Amino acid sequence: MKLFHFHFIAKRLYSGSGIIKAQKYVLTKYFQGEPKKTDFQLVEEVLPDLRDGEILTEAEYISVDPFMRAYMIGYKLPVDMIGGQVAKIVVSRNEHYPIGKYVTGSFGWRTHTICNPEKLKGNAGFAPFSLLPDISPYPVSLALGILGMPGNTAYFGMKEICRPKSGETIVVSGAAGAVGTHVGQIGKLSGCRVVGFAGTDEKCYYLEKELGFDRAFNYKTVDIKAALKEGAPRKVDCYFDNVGGQISSNIINYMNKYGRVAVCGSISSYNESCSPKDNELTSLNF
């Protein structure tokens, strides 16, 4: 997951004069291969006056998540781009949501949002609406990270699906991503050997030296099967899969009996225009 800071746009568009202008990204073409700027249109709109109980929020951070690439095919075009957001309350007609406080919500890729918090409560969404507590000195962006969907995905995927036991070996693909970094740390706290696969040597250095992974391999430059034998000599007990594809086939074939797999994502194929051919897949042997 990536976070984009919208503060510089928002400050320019909201002057406090009563006229509220927002900018938003609208998806106008379904993605074909890699997402392109031409798939989007940046639209400016004038928002209505606030009603009693409503608040006006100004985007501070928005999320750009891999799942969006696959989800957008289910929407009729044109459609406002989806996404989670950390936003600051800049105008309020709700005494329970004062100006200056921060909220999270599934507001999408836009600078300003008018909403009634009471009507949003109980709606799960990709980023459930909530009023953020004061988490200083930590940045509010953590509400979209370890305190948000990526952190919850890592925690529940590990604790309820993989259920690691002390002494076991965990392998995580996409290990340097928003979910994978948390998965590895939970694994270490659970007393496990943790092996990660990432896409650059710098990421692998970070995983080992900063986050405490036992081993990390650059999947672009190593032989996956050889790396598994080196990094996981007692084979794999838990696999947290963020990428799918051939690397996952290799890892699953190297698992111990009664191993557990948490299937979180398949980012290796999100930008493909067609499914892999049957003869290109490695069979799984159990």
Side-chain angles (χ1 to χ4, degrees):
M1 182 191 74
K2 296 181 180 179
L3 300 179
F4 284 99
H5 197 254
F6 258 18
H7 191 64
F8 69 99
I9 299 177
K11 284 296 184 185
R12 178 165 53 85
L13 291 174
Y14 178 67
S15 63
S17 63
I19 298 176
I20 306 168
K21 293 183 179 180
Q23 284 188 336
K24 63 181 181 179
Y25 279 100
V26 177
L27 184 68
T28 57
K29 298 178 182 177
Y30 291 121
F31 302 121
Q32 295 292 328
E34 293 281 347
K36 302 176 288 295
K37 289 184 179 180
T38 53
D39 296 330
F40 301 94
Q41 183 178 359
L42 185 59
V43 176
E44 184 172 299
E45 64 179 2
V46 176
L47 300 182
D49 294 334
L50 269 69
R51 299 177 180 178
D52 289 340
E54 293 183 333
I55 60 174
L56 170 66
T57 65
E58 187 173 82
E60 291 277 344
Y61 295 91
I62 64 171
S63 65
V64 181
D65 302 290
F67 79 85
M68 297 173 180
R69 173 64 176 78
Y71 265 69
M72 297 314 296
I73 194 67
Y75 293 88
K76 183 179 179 180
L77 300 180
V79 63
D80 293 356
M81 191 62 192
I82 63 175
Q85 192 178 117
V86 172
K88 188 176 184 179
I89 301 173
V90 293
V91 181
S92 177
R93 296 188 63 178
N94 188 317
E95 62 180 5
H96 301 296
Y97 293 84
I99 293 174
K101 291 290 187 177
Y102 289 92
V103 297
T104 60
S106 297
F107 298 154
W109 292 6
R110 58 183 300 119
T111 58
H112 292 83
T113 303
I114 291 177
C115 65
N116 186 325
E118 301 305 321
K119 294 181 179 180
L120 294 178
K121 288 182 178 179
N123 296 335
F126 299 117
F129 181 88
S130 62
L131 181 66
L132 291 185
D134 182 7
I135 61 173
S136 58
Y138 304 104
V140 294
S141 59
L142 289 183
L144 291 179
I146 193 170
L147 302 179
M149 181 173 62
N152 279 275
T153 300
Y155 181 84
F156 290 104
M158 283 290 284
K159 301 296 285 186
E160 295 192 0
I161 297 177
C162 286
R163 297 184 180 182
K165 302 172 184 176
S166 181
E168 291 188 326
T169 298
I170 297 170
V171 171
V172 52
S173 55
V179 174
T181 52
H182 299 139
V183 167
Q185 293 175 84
I186 293 171
K188 292 303 299 180
L189 290 172
S190 300
C192 298
R193 179 175 178 82
V194 177
V195 179
F197 285 92
T200 68
D201 292 339
E202 290 76 15
K203 290 179 180 179
C204 292
Y205 181 89
Y206 169 71
L207 293 174
E208 290 186 356
K209 303 303 181 182
E210 296 285 339
L211 300 188
F213 279 55
D214 294 284
R215 287 305 311 271
F217 298 96
N218 184 341
Y219 72 88
K220 296 179 181 178
T221 60
V222 302
D223 178 277
I224 301 300
K225 294 180 180 179
L228 286 170
K229 290 182 180 180
E230 177 185 341
R234 292 186 293 178
K235 293 192 174 184
V236 179
D237 300 292
C238 301
Y239 174 41
F240 202 102
D241 183 10
N242 288 306
V243 303
Q246 186 64 53
I247 186 173
S248 290
S249 297
N250 289 334
I251 294 170
I252 292 173
N253 272 313
Y254 192 68
M255 294 187 73
N256 289 315
K257 290 184 177 180
Y258 312 112
R260 289 84 69 199
V261 179
V263 179
C264 176
S266 187
I267 58 175
S268 66
S269 61
Y270 284 168
N271 290 324
E272 299 296 329
S273 57
C274 58
S275 300
K277 297 179 181 179
D278 291 340
N279 59 8
E280 293 178 344
L281 295 176
T282 301
S283 61
L284 303 181
N285 301 312
F286 296 102

